[in-house]
Amino acid sequence: MTYTLERVARQASEAKELAVHTSRALRDLKRGTKSGLSGRDRFVRHAVLRALAANRPGITYEDVYREVYRERAATSPATTTVPEWASELAAVDVGEFLATGVQPLALSRLAALGRTVSLDGIGTLRIPFRPPGDDVGGWIGEGAPIPADSLDFGTVSVSPRKAAAVSIFTAELKKRAAADIEMLLDSALRTDIASIVDAALVDDQPGSAVRPAGLRFNVAAVTASAATDPLVAMRADLAKLAGEIMAGAGGGTMPVYLVNPVQMTSFGFLPNIAYAVVDTPAVPAGTVIAVDGPAFISGNGSAAVDASKDATIHEDTAPAPIVAGGTAASPTRNLWQTDTLAVRVILEVAWGLPAGRSAWMEGVKW
């Protein structure tokens, strides 16, 4: 009996040690410390594990990790902390995913030139800024009072809004190598999210309970140059837009131009341009937007990645409930019936800009 109890105790201890080692390895995976993973890689790998573990009874994320990446649990000192890595996505990981890769989001590139805030647990965040005012200070005589202006501040309010995308893949995705799966998910998720976020960023629609206001909302377009020489017109257009946000609004400091890739090619003919340029297909061809970069405020909040092989989806740009009032939505896709996999990403994002710090024009000749 004593021998049996000792053997059971030893086996239990070995099992506990193995579990602890596995947890430590997975913690390192989340943090990127073991394999040197970047935030972008961690985000994509998280999506891969979610997708490959979808609807596999008895299969855990740990099992999929070892199966796909062919890694064994590392031997390391015991720890009492078991991180819920499969249900967490750090904001820095989300931000890095959106800001890196072959096609970084325009929002991320613009945010890098302004101010970024955390939206975790925030309903509405008000960011103070000093609006344009009278000149202050000046040359004074001995003992004379120094001119001063009132310290009146304005605020820019940012509230987290949910951007969500569902990417659908065939079951053959699971037959590919791990590197191929990561590449496919990276490209698909980035493209789907960009089509939502960047399109809203550069449009002229007002903010609402479901989205932030576009940079062109409530901003009248300025007239593009009528010069027939494209280079002359380009110089005039860029100078005019810069003037709108720097002189006209007062207080602008560094214009950032957002353009379509068609217009982006023309910047190669302007040597040593002093200001940043962000290209994105979300900006209509022939349209140029200028933003005061340092005044731009953006925020990242929570993120969630899920996968399913059983859901039924209404495939429409304006999806409706599958059945509402006895009427079925159409067209629908049943993932189980079509042997397909859906990966859903939901991000909390927001942005804001003081009034007068953006300008735009359309119909440019370059």
Side-chain angles (χ1 to χ4, degrees):
M1 176 67 70
T2 301
Y3 171 74
T4 302
L5 290 175
E6 289 178 350
R7 184 174 62 179
V8 171
R10 184 173 64 254
Q11 290 175 341
S13 177
E14 291 173 352
K16 178 180 179 182
E17 183 179 2
L18 177 61
V20 169
H21 292 165
T22 302
S23 297
R24 183 63 176 269
L26 292 172
R27 185 187 66 179
D28 289 340
L29 167 66
K30 175 193 171 188
R31 294 178 177 176
T33 56
K34 180 175 182 291
S35 57
L37 294 176
S38 67
R40 167 178 169 263
D41 291 335
R42 285 195 298 269
F43 185 96
V44 175
R45 189 160 294 187
H46 181 104
V48 169
L49 296 177
R50 282 283 187 181
L52 298 186
N55 301 99
R56 295 176 64 183
I59 301 298
T60 66
Y61 300 112
E62 295 94 328
D63 297 330
V64 176
Y65 170 61
R66 288 190 292 270
E67 171 189 318
V68 174
Y69 297 101
R70 305 291 192 271
E71 294 196 24
R72 299 174 60 188
T75 301
S76 54
T79 174
T80 58
T81 303
V82 182
E84 296 294 333
W85 66 273
S87 61
E88 296 175 356
L89 278 180
V92 65
D93 290 357
V94 178
E96 190 170 337
F97 168 73
L98 299 179
T100 57
V102 177
Q103 186 66 38
L105 263 67
L107 172 62
S108 298
R109 286 176 281 169
L110 182 57
L113 302 171
R115 179 179 177 183
T116 301
V117 296
S118 173
L119 300 176
D120 287 338
I122 299 296
T124 299
L125 188 62
R126 292 178 173 82
I127 311 297
F129 72 94
R130 189 176 185 182
D134 298 331
D135 293 335
V136 299
W139 300 101
I140 62 172
E142 183 176 355
I146 300 174
D149 188 18
S150 61
L151 296 178
D152 295 326
F153 288 88
T155 59
V156 174
S157 296
V158 292
S159 300
R161 298 290 183 256
K162 291 198 301 184
V166 175
S167 304
I168 299 177
F169 303 88
T170 63
E172 279 67 29
L173 174 73
K174 294 186 178 183
K175 299 178 182 179
R176 296 177 177 269
D180 293 335
I181 297 174
E182 289 193 4
M183 180 185 68
L184 288 170
L185 282 176
D186 185 355
S187 176
L189 295 179
R190 189 184 307 278
T191 299
D192 291 344
I193 294 171
S195 68
I196 301 167
V197 175
D198 284 351
L201 174 69
V202 302
D203 70 16
D204 59 357
Q205 297 303 300
S208 68
V210 298
R211 56 154 292 173
L215 293 175
R216 292 187 286 155
F217 171 65
N218 205 27
V219 180
V222 296
T223 304
S225 171
T228 56
D229 185 323
L231 188 56
V232 173
M234 182 179 183
R235 292 180 183 275
D237 290 342
L238 297 180
K240 189 170 186 178
L241 288 170
E244 287 288 322
I245 66 172
M246 297 179 73
T253 57
M254 187 182 73
V256 179
Y257 299 105
L258 289 88
V259 299
N260 185 276
V262 173
Q263 275 64 55
M264 184 65 180
T265 60
S266 298
F267 281 87
F269 298 98
L270 286 184
N272 303 321
I273 183 169
Y275 303 116
V277 184
V278 174
D279 66 313
T280 170
V283 175
T287 297
V288 183
I289 305 170
V291 176
D292 181 20
F296 183 76
I297 299 166
S298 66
N300 290 326
S302 63
V305 178
D306 295 294
S308 174
K309 287 195 66 180
D310 291 335
T312 298
I313 297 174
H314 180 199
E315 294 185 306
D316 195 274
T317 55
I322 300 301
V323 177
T327 301
S330 179
T332 60
R333 174 193 289 270
N334 182 278
L335 300 178
W336 182 84
Q337 185 179 32
T338 57
D339 196 19
T340 48
L341 171 74
V343 178
R344 183 185 67 182
V345 178
I346 301 176
L347 306 176
E348 282 190 338
V349 296
W351 60 79
L353 191 69
R357 302 296 177 90
S358 66
W360 66 285
M361 62 176 53
E362 54 188 348
V364 300
K365 294 180 172 58
W366 45 277

Short mmCIF file of all heavy atoms in Angstrom, two decimals, residues 314-339:
data_model
loop_
_atom_site.label_atom_id
_atom_site.label_comp_id
_atom_site.label_asym_id
_atom_site.label_seq_id
_atom_site.Cartn_x
_atom_site.Cartn_y
_atom_site.Cartn_z
N HIS A 314 -25.14 35.19 -42.79
CA HIS A 314 -25.80 35.93 -43.87
C HIS A 314 -24.72 36.68 -44.63
O HIS A 314 -24.13 37.64 -44.12
CB HIS A 314 -26.83 36.91 -43.30
CG HIS A 314 -27.55 37.69 -44.36
ND1 HIS A 314 -28.23 38.87 -44.10
CD2 HIS A 314 -27.69 37.48 -45.70
CE1 HIS A 314 -28.75 39.33 -45.22
NE2 HIS A 314 -28.43 38.51 -46.20
N GLU A 315 -24.42 36.26 -45.85
CA GLU A 315 -23.35 36.85 -46.65
C GLU A 315 -23.87 38.10 -47.36
O GLU A 315 -24.33 38.04 -48.50
CB GLU A 315 -22.80 35.84 -47.65
CG GLU A 315 -22.11 34.66 -46.97
CD GLU A 315 -21.47 33.73 -47.97
OE1 GLU A 315 -22.17 33.27 -48.90
OE2 GLU A 315 -20.27 33.44 -47.82
N ASP A 316 -23.76 39.23 -46.68
CA ASP A 316 -24.25 40.48 -47.22
C ASP A 316 -23.50 41.62 -46.55
O ASP A 316 -23.04 41.48 -45.42
CB ASP A 316 -25.76 40.62 -46.97
CG ASP A 316 -26.39 41.71 -47.81
OD1 ASP A 316 -26.35 42.88 -47.36
OD2 ASP A 316 -26.90 41.42 -48.90
N THR A 317 -23.36 42.74 -47.26
CA THR A 317 -22.67 43.90 -46.67
C THR A 317 -23.50 44.55 -45.58
O THR A 317 -22.97 45.30 -44.76
CB THR A 317 -22.35 44.93 -47.76
OG1 THR A 317 -23.56 45.28 -48.45
CG2 THR A 317 -21.34 44.36 -48.76
N ALA A 318 -24.80 44.29 -45.59
CA ALA A 318 -25.68 44.77 -44.53
C ALA A 318 -26.44 43.56 -43.97
O ALA A 318 -27.63 43.37 -44.26
CB ALA A 318 -26.65 45.83 -45.05
N PRO A 319 -25.75 42.71 -43.20
CA PRO A 319 -26.36 41.46 -42.76
C PRO A 319 -27.56 41.67 -41.85
O PRO A 319 -27.64 42.65 -41.10
CB PRO A 319 -25.21 40.77 -42.01
CG PRO A 319 -24.32 41.88 -41.57
CD PRO A 319 -24.39 42.89 -42.66
N ALA A 320 -28.50 40.76 -41.95
CA ALA A 320 -29.71 40.79 -41.14
C ALA A 320 -29.74 39.52 -40.28
O ALA A 320 -28.98 38.58 -40.50
CB ALA A 320 -30.94 40.85 -42.04
N PRO A 321 -30.62 39.48 -39.27
CA PRO A 321 -30.80 38.23 -38.53
C PRO A 321 -31.14 37.09 -39.48
O PRO A 321 -31.82 37.30 -40.50
CB PRO A 321 -31.96 38.55 -37.58
CG PRO A 321 -31.92 40.04 -37.42
CD PRO A 321 -31.47 40.57 -38.74
N ILE A 322 -30.65 35.87 -39.17
CA ILE A 322 -30.89 34.73 -40.06
C ILE A 322 -32.38 34.54 -40.30
O ILE A 322 -32.82 34.30 -41.43
CB ILE A 322 -30.27 33.46 -39.47
CG1 ILE A 322 -28.76 33.65 -39.29
CG2 ILE A 322 -30.55 32.26 -40.34
CD1 ILE A 322 -28.03 33.96 -40.57
N VAL A 323 -33.19 34.67 -39.24
CA VAL A 323 -34.65 34.63 -39.39
C VAL A 323 -35.22 35.75 -38.53
O VAL A 323 -34.95 35.83 -37.33
CB VAL A 323 -35.23 33.27 -38.93
CG1 VAL A 323 -36.75 33.32 -39.04
CG2 VAL A 323 -34.66 32.13 -39.77
N ALA A 324 -35.98 36.64 -39.14
CA ALA A 324 -36.61 37.75 -38.42
C ALA A 324 -38.07 37.86 -38.85
O ALA A 324 -38.36 38.04 -40.04
CB ALA A 324 -35.87 39.06 -38.71
N GLY A 325 -38.98 37.71 -37.88
CA GLY A 325 -40.40 37.81 -38.18
C GLY A 325 -40.89 36.78 -39.17
O GLY A 325 -41.79 37.03 -39.97
N GLY A 326 -40.23 35.62 -39.16
CA GLY A 326 -40.64 34.55 -40.07
C GLY A 326 -39.99 34.64 -41.43
O GLY A 326 -40.17 33.75 -42.27
N THR A 327 -39.21 35.70 -41.68
CA THR A 327 -38.55 35.87 -42.97
C THR A 327 -37.07 35.49 -42.84
O THR A 327 -36.36 36.02 -41.98
CB THR A 327 -38.66 37.31 -43.47
OG1 THR A 327 -40.04 37.66 -43.58
CG2 THR A 327 -37.98 37.47 -44.82
N ALA A 328 -36.60 34.61 -43.69
CA ALA A 328 -35.21 34.16 -43.64
C ALA A 328 -34.33 35.09 -44.45
O ALA A 328 -34.72 35.57 -45.52
CB ALA A 328 -35.09 32.73 -44.15
N ALA A 329 -33.13 35.36 -43.91
CA ALA A 329 -32.16 36.18 -44.64
C ALA A 329 -31.62 35.38 -45.83
O ALA A 329 -31.57 34.15 -45.81
CB ALA A 329 -31.03 36.58 -43.71
N SER A 330 -31.19 36.11 -46.87
CA SER A 330 -30.66 35.44 -48.05
C SER A 330 -29.65 36.37 -48.73
O SER A 330 -29.86 37.59 -48.78
CB SER A 330 -31.79 35.12 -49.03
OG SER A 330 -31.29 34.49 -50.19
N PRO A 331 -28.53 35.82 -49.22
CA PRO A 331 -28.12 34.42 -49.16
C PRO A 331 -27.41 34.10 -47.85
O PRO A 331 -26.82 34.98 -47.23
CB PRO A 331 -27.15 34.30 -50.34
CG PRO A 331 -26.50 35.66 -50.38
CD PRO A 331 -27.59 36.65 -50.01
N THR A 332 -27.47 32.85 -47.43
CA THR A 332 -26.78 32.43 -46.23
C THR A 332 -25.80 31.31 -46.56
O THR A 332 -25.92 30.65 -47.60
CB THR A 332 -27.77 31.91 -45.17
OG1 THR A 332 -28.50 30.80 -45.69
CG2 THR A 332 -28.72 33.01 -44.73
N ARG A 333 -24.83 31.14 -45.68
CA ARG A 333 -23.87 30.06 -45.83
C ARG A 333 -23.82 29.29 -44.51
O ARG A 333 -23.60 29.87 -43.44
CB ARG A 333 -22.47 30.59 -46.15
CG ARG A 333 -21.39 29.48 -46.17
CD ARG A 333 -20.00 30.08 -46.18
NE ARG A 333 -19.71 30.70 -47.45
CZ ARG A 333 -19.15 30.06 -48.49
NH1 ARG A 333 -18.82 28.78 -48.37
NH2 ARG A 333 -18.89 30.69 -49.61
N ASN A 334 -24.00 27.98 -44.60
CA ASN A 334 -23.83 27.12 -43.45
C ASN A 334 -22.41 26.54 -43.52
O ASN A 334 -22.06 25.83 -44.47
CB ASN A 334 -24.86 25.99 -43.46
CG ASN A 334 -24.73 25.10 -42.24
OD1 ASN A 334 -23.88 24.21 -42.21
ND2 ASN A 334 -25.55 25.35 -41.24
N LEU A 335 -21.58 26.87 -42.53
CA LEU A 335 -20.19 26.48 -42.57
C LEU A 335 -20.00 24.97 -42.53
O LEU A 335 -19.13 24.42 -43.19
CB LEU A 335 -19.43 27.14 -41.41
CG LEU A 335 -19.46 28.67 -41.38
CD1 LEU A 335 -18.71 29.19 -40.16
CD2 LEU A 335 -18.86 29.26 -42.65
N TRP A 336 -20.85 24.27 -41.74
CA TRP A 336 -20.73 22.83 -41.65
C TRP A 336 -21.07 22.17 -42.99
O TRP A 336 -20.39 21.28 -43.46
CB TRP A 336 -21.66 22.30 -40.56
CG TRP A 336 -21.56 20.83 -40.36
CD1 TRP A 336 -20.66 20.14 -39.62
CD2 TRP A 336 -22.42 19.85 -40.96
NE1 TRP A 336 -20.89 18.79 -39.70
CE2 TRP A 336 -21.98 18.58 -40.52
CE3 TRP A 336 -23.53 19.92 -41.80
CZ2 TRP A 336 -22.60 17.40 -40.90
CZ3 TRP A 336 -24.14 18.75 -42.19
CH2 TRP A 336 -23.68 17.50 -41.74
N GLN A 337 -22.14 22.66 -43.62
CA GLN A 337 -22.59 22.07 -44.88
C GLN A 337 -21.59 22.29 -46.01
O GLN A 337 -21.40 21.44 -46.88
CB GLN A 337 -23.95 22.64 -45.27
CG GLN A 337 -24.57 22.00 -46.51
CD GLN A 337 -25.93 22.60 -46.83
OE1 GLN A 337 -26.16 23.77 -46.56
NE2 GLN A 337 -26.83 21.79 -47.36
N THR A 338 -20.92 23.47 -46.01
CA THR A 338 -19.98 23.80 -47.09
C THR A 338 -18.54 23.48 -46.73
O THR A 338 -17.63 23.78 -47.51
CB THR A 338 -20.09 25.30 -47.44
OG1 THR A 338 -19.86 26.09 -46.26
CG2 THR A 338 -21.47 25.63 -47.99
N ASP A 339 -18.32 22.87 -45.56
CA ASP A 339 -16.98 22.48 -45.11
C ASP A 339 -16.03 23.68 -45.17
O ASP A 339 -14.95 23.62 -45.75
CB ASP A 339 -16.44 21.34 -45.98
CG ASP A 339 -15.23 20.66 -45.31
OD1 ASP A 339 -15.06 20.82 -44.09
OD2 ASP A 339 -14.45 20.01 -46.04
#
